[in-house]
PDB file of all heavy atoms in Angstrom:
ATOM      1  N   ALA A 216      24.597   4.307   9.971  1.00 97.00           N
ATOM      2  CA  ALA A 216      25.639   3.498   9.331  1.00 97.00           C
ATOM      3  C   ALA A 216      26.762   4.379   8.779  1.00 97.00           C
ATOM      4  O   ALA A 216      27.948   4.087   8.966  1.00 97.00           O
ATOM      5  CB  ALA A 216      25.025   2.651   8.211  1.00 97.00           C
ATOM      6  N   VAL A 217      26.389   5.464   8.108  1.00 96.00           N
ATOM      7  CA  VAL A 217      27.395   6.380   7.553  1.00 96.00           C
ATOM      8  C   VAL A 217      28.190   7.038   8.681  1.00 96.00           C
ATOM      9  O   VAL A 217      29.422   7.156   8.610  1.00 96.00           O
ATOM     10  CB  VAL A 217      26.724   7.440   6.648  1.00 96.00           C
ATOM     11  CG1 VAL A 217      27.714   8.543   6.260  1.00 96.00           C
ATOM     12  CG2 VAL A 217      26.163   6.780   5.389  1.00 96.00           C
ATOM     13  N   GLN A 218      27.502   7.460   9.746  1.00 97.00           N
ATOM     14  CA  GLN A 218      28.194   8.089  10.871  1.00 97.00           C
ATOM     15  C   GLN A 218      29.188   7.123  11.516  1.00 97.00           C
ATOM     16  O   GLN A 218      30.343   7.483  11.799  1.00 97.00           O
ATOM     17  CB  GLN A 218      27.180   8.567  11.920  1.00 97.00           C
ATOM     18  CG  GLN A 218      26.295   9.729  11.473  1.00 97.00           C
ATOM     19  CD  GLN A 218      27.018  11.072  11.492  1.00 97.00           C
ATOM     20  OE1 GLN A 218      28.221  11.154  11.727  1.00 97.00           O
ATOM     21  NE2 GLN A 218      26.273  12.137  11.230  1.00 97.00           N
ATOM     22  N   ALA A 219      28.768   5.886  11.755  1.00 97.00           N
ATOM     23  CA  ALA A 219      29.656   4.904  12.399  1.00 97.00           C
ATOM     24  C   ALA A 219      30.896   4.668  11.543  1.00 97.00           C
ATOM     25  O   ALA A 219      32.022   4.606  12.054  1.00 97.00           O
ATOM     26  CB  ALA A 219      28.908   3.589  12.630  1.00 97.00           C
ATOM     27  N   ARG A 220      30.697   4.540  10.243  1.00 95.00           N
ATOM     28  CA  ARG A 220      31.828   4.290   9.336  1.00 95.00           C
ATOM     29  C   ARG A 220      32.783   5.491   9.306  1.00 95.00           C
ATOM     30  O   ARG A 220      34.001   5.332   9.295  1.00 95.00           O
ATOM     31  CB  ARG A 220      31.302   4.001   7.935  1.00 95.00           C
ATOM     32  CG  ARG A 220      32.351   3.523   6.930  1.00 95.00           C
ATOM     33  CD  ARG A 220      31.678   3.269   5.587  1.00 95.00           C
ATOM     34  NE  ARG A 220      32.552   2.591   4.640  1.00 95.00           N
ATOM     35  CZ  ARG A 220      33.372   3.200   3.806  1.00 95.00           C
ATOM     36  NH1 ARG A 220      33.474   4.524   3.827  1.00 95.00           N
ATOM     37  NH2 ARG A 220      34.120   2.513   2.953  1.00 95.00           N
ATOM     38  N   CYS A 221      32.210   6.706   9.270  1.00 95.00           N
ATOM     39  CA  CYS A 221      33.046   7.908   9.197  1.00 95.00           C
ATOM     40  C   CYS A 221      33.760   8.207  10.517  1.00 95.00           C
ATOM     41  O   CYS A 221      34.847   8.788  10.532  1.00 95.00           O
ATOM     42  CB  CYS A 221      32.198   9.115   8.782  1.00 95.00           C
ATOM     43  SG  CYS A 221      31.612   9.053   7.079  1.00 95.00           S
ATOM     44  N   LEU A 222      33.147   7.817  11.651  1.00 96.00           N
ATOM     45  CA  LEU A 222      33.742   8.104  12.957  1.00 96.00           C
ATOM     46  C   LEU A 222      34.756   7.043  13.386  1.00 96.00           C
ATOM     47  O   LEU A 222      35.598   7.308  14.246  1.00 96.00           O
ATOM     48  CB  LEU A 222      32.643   8.194  14.035  1.00 96.00           C
ATOM     49  CG  LEU A 222      31.690   9.396  13.952  1.00 96.00           C
ATOM     50  CD1 LEU A 222      30.553   9.229  14.960  1.00 96.00           C
ATOM     51  CD2 LEU A 222      32.422  10.716  14.200  1.00 96.00           C
ATOM     52  N   MET A 223      34.674   5.871  12.800  1.00 95.00           N
ATOM     53  CA  MET A 223      35.517   4.749  13.224  1.00 95.00           C
ATOM     54  C   MET A 223      37.006   5.099  13.097  1.00 95.00           C
ATOM     55  O   MET A 223      37.506   5.359  12.005  1.00 95.00           O
ATOM     56  CB  MET A 223      35.192   3.528  12.352  1.00 95.00           C
ATOM     57  CG  MET A 223      35.947   2.282  12.742  1.00 95.00           C
ATOM     58  SD  MET A 223      35.345   1.635  14.320  1.00 95.00           S
ATOM     59  CE  MET A 223      36.376   0.186  14.487  1.00 95.00           C
ATOM     60  N   PRO A 224      37.759   5.129  14.210  1.00 90.00           N
ATOM     61  CA  PRO A 224      39.171   5.527  14.133  1.00 90.00           C
ATOM     62  C   PRO A 224      40.087   4.439  13.566  1.00 90.00           C
ATOM     63  O   PRO A 224      41.133   4.721  13.017  1.00 90.00           O
ATOM     64  CB  PRO A 224      39.533   5.841  15.586  1.00 90.00           C
ATOM     65  CG  PRO A 224      38.556   5.088  16.408  1.00 90.00           C
ATOM     66  CD  PRO A 224      37.310   4.932  15.600  1.00 90.00           C
ATOM     67  N   LYS A 225      39.688   3.184  13.694  1.00 74.00           N
ATOM     68  CA  LYS A 225      40.515   2.078  13.205  1.00 74.00           C
ATOM     69  C   LYS A 225      40.195   1.893  11.721  1.00 74.00           C
ATOM     70  O   LYS A 225      39.160   1.355  11.359  1.00 74.00           O
ATOM     71  CB  LYS A 225      40.153   0.818  13.996  1.00 74.00           C
ATOM     72  CG  LYS A 225      41.070  -0.366  13.777  1.00 74.00           C
ATOM     73  CD  LYS A 225      40.584  -1.498  14.670  1.00 74.00           C
ATOM     74  CE  LYS A 225      41.350  -2.785  14.396  1.00 74.00           C
ATOM     75  NZ  LYS A 225      40.803  -3.890  15.199  1.00 74.00           N
ATOM     76  N   ARG A 226      41.067   2.376  10.844  1.00 71.00           N
ATOM     77  CA  ARG A 226      40.694   2.556   9.454  1.00 71.00           C
ATOM     78  C   ARG A 226      40.922   1.350   8.543  1.00 71.00           C
ATOM     79  O   ARG A 226      41.188   1.511   7.361  1.00 71.00           O
ATOM     80  CB  ARG A 226      41.431   3.767   8.867  1.00 71.00           C
ATOM     81  CG  ARG A 226      41.345   5.031   9.661  1.00 71.00           C
ATOM     82  CD  ARG A 226      39.934   5.531   9.857  1.00 71.00           C
ATOM     83  NE  ARG A 226      39.348   6.058   8.630  1.00 71.00           N
ATOM     84  CZ  ARG A 226      38.122   6.560   8.553  1.00 71.00           C
ATOM     85  NH1 ARG A 226      37.353   6.580   9.620  1.00 71.00           N
ATOM     86  NH2 ARG A 226      37.665   7.027   7.414  1.00 71.00           N
ATOM     87  N   THR A 227      40.863   0.123   9.064  1.00 84.00           N
ATOM     88  CA  THR A 227      40.964  -1.015   8.152  1.00 84.00           C
ATOM     89  C   THR A 227      39.626  -1.178   7.436  1.00 84.00           C
ATOM     90  O   THR A 227      38.569  -0.847   7.993  1.00 84.00           O
ATOM     91  CB  THR A 227      41.282  -2.330   8.897  1.00 84.00           C
ATOM     92  OG1 THR A 227      40.155  -2.682   9.705  1.00 84.00           O
ATOM     93  CG2 THR A 227      42.523  -2.183   9.754  1.00 84.00           C
ATOM     94  N   GLU A 228      39.688  -1.704   6.231  1.00 85.00           N
ATOM     95  CA  GLU A 228      38.459  -1.864   5.439  1.00 85.00           C
ATOM     96  C   GLU A 228      37.439  -2.724   6.183  1.00 85.00           C
ATOM     97  O   GLU A 228      36.257  -2.393   6.256  1.00 85.00           O
ATOM     98  CB  GLU A 228      38.800  -2.510   4.090  1.00 85.00           C
ATOM     99  CG  GLU A 228      37.582  -2.670   3.192  1.00 85.00           C
ATOM    100  CD  GLU A 228      37.744  -3.799   2.185  1.00 85.00           C
ATOM    101  OE1 GLU A 228      38.896  -4.139   1.831  1.00 85.00           O
ATOM    102  OE2 GLU A 228      36.712  -4.361   1.782  1.00 85.00           O
ATOM    103  N   HIS A 229      37.912  -3.830   6.770  1.00 89.00           N
ATOM    104  CA  HIS A 229      36.987  -4.739   7.447  1.00 89.00           C
ATOM    105  C   HIS A 229      36.292  -4.040   8.619  1.00 89.00           C
ATOM    106  O   HIS A 229      35.081  -4.172   8.804  1.00 89.00           O
ATOM    107  CB  HIS A 229      37.741  -5.969   7.956  1.00 89.00           C
ATOM    108  CG  HIS A 229      36.858  -6.946   8.670  1.00 89.00           C
ATOM    109  ND1 HIS A 229      35.936  -7.733   8.008  1.00 89.00           N
ATOM    110  CD2 HIS A 229      36.736  -7.237   9.995  1.00 89.00           C
ATOM    111  CE1 HIS A 229      35.283  -8.469   8.895  1.00 89.00           C
ATOM    112  NE2 HIS A 229      35.751  -8.192  10.101  1.00 89.00           N
ATOM    113  N   ALA A 230      37.046  -3.269   9.400  1.00 92.00           N
ATOM    114  CA  ALA A 230      36.468  -2.574  10.561  1.00 92.00           C
ATOM    115  C   ALA A 230      35.445  -1.529  10.115  1.00 92.00           C
ATOM    116  O   ALA A 230      34.378  -1.379  10.732  1.00 92.00           O
ATOM    117  CB  ALA A 230      37.583  -1.909  11.369  1.00 92.00           C
ATOM    118  N   LEU A 231      35.751  -0.797   9.060  1.00 93.00           N
ATOM    119  CA  LEU A 231      34.837   0.238   8.559  1.00 93.00           C
ATOM    120  C   LEU A 231      33.505  -0.367   8.126  1.00 93.00           C
ATOM    121  O   LEU A 231      32.431   0.136   8.479  1.00 93.00           O
ATOM    122  CB  LEU A 231      35.468   0.977   7.370  1.00 93.00           C
ATOM    123  CG  LEU A 231      36.694   1.843   7.649  1.00 93.00           C
ATOM    124  CD1 LEU A 231      37.251   2.413   6.357  1.00 93.00           C
ATOM    125  CD2 LEU A 231      36.345   2.976   8.606  1.00 93.00           C
TER     126      LEU A 231
END
Side-chain angles (χ1 to χ4, degrees):
V217 170
Q218 292 283 6
R220 188 180 190 271
C221 291
L222 291 172
M223 183 71 179
K225 190 178 173 184
R226 310 300 289 180
T227 68
E228 182 205 334
H229 180 72
L231 293 176

